[in-house]
Amino acid sequence: MEEITFTDAVLQDYKMGMGMMMEKVPSLVKSFNAFSEVGFEEGEISQKHKHLIALAVSVYAHSEYCIVYHTKGCVDAGCTEVEILEAVGVAAALGGGSALSQAVTLVMQTVDELTEDPNPIQ
């Protein structure tokens, strides 16, 4: 009996879900698939780089199925492990930077207002 990997199980789960959705709303799924295919076509940006971008966005968005799908896409497109890790490093920097920018603006300004800090952030 062939052993099923984690990646295979996740992708199979996604395919089954898409198949069930296709039965209920075929035009929506067909349109989504067609749009996605165009987005990943080779162009000025290579498919390899498009998968690296998609992986970084998936990590940033916490989209587990997309993370697995686009990690596989990266590997299939010939990305090295270092390229993949650098892409997710960009996502981590963006996520951390996004969180920090909200903390040093919105959170601190709101705290200043609510506590009537005599030295508000300028």
Side-chain angles (χ1 to χ4, degrees), residues 15-29:
K15 288 178 185 177
M16 286 178 55
M18 287 297 281
M20 289 186 287
M21 193 164 179
M22 175 72 98
E23 292 175 11
K24 297 175 186 306
V25 285
S27 63
L28 186 140
V29 174

Side-chain angles (χ1 to χ4, degrees), residues 9-11 13-14 58 62-71:
V10 169
L11 295 176
D13 190 34
Y14 174 78
S58 300
H62 307 276
S63 178
E64 294 177 7
Y65 287 95
C66 290
I67 290 168
V68 173
Y69 183 86
H70 291 294
T71 299

Side-chain angles (χ1 to χ4, degrees), residues 9-54:
V10 169
L11 295 176
Q12 184 61 33
D13 190 34
Y14 174 78
K15 288 178 185 177
M16 286 178 55
M18 287 297 281
M20 289 186 287
M21 193 164 179
M22 175 72 98
E23 292 175 11
K24 297 175 186 306
V25 285
S27 63
L28 186 140
V29 174
K30 287 177 186 175
S31 295
F32 172 80
N33 287 339
F35 179 77
S36 294
E37 286 174 18
V38 170
F40 281 90
E41 287 177 353
E42 192 78 24
E44 292 296 315
I45 299 173
S46 69
Q47 286 182 327
K48 173 182 174 175
H49 289 99
K50 288 179 179 186
H51 278 290
L52 286 166
I53 293 166

Side-chain angles (χ1 to χ4, degrees), residues 63-92:
S63 178
E64 294 177 7
Y65 287 95
C66 290
I67 290 168
V68 173
Y69 183 86
H70 291 294
T71 299
K72 183 178 181 326
C74 286
V75 170
D76 291 348
C79 295
T80 66
E81 181 179 13
V82 172
E83 288 173 319
I84 292 168
L85 294 176
E86 285 184 7
V88 299
V90 170

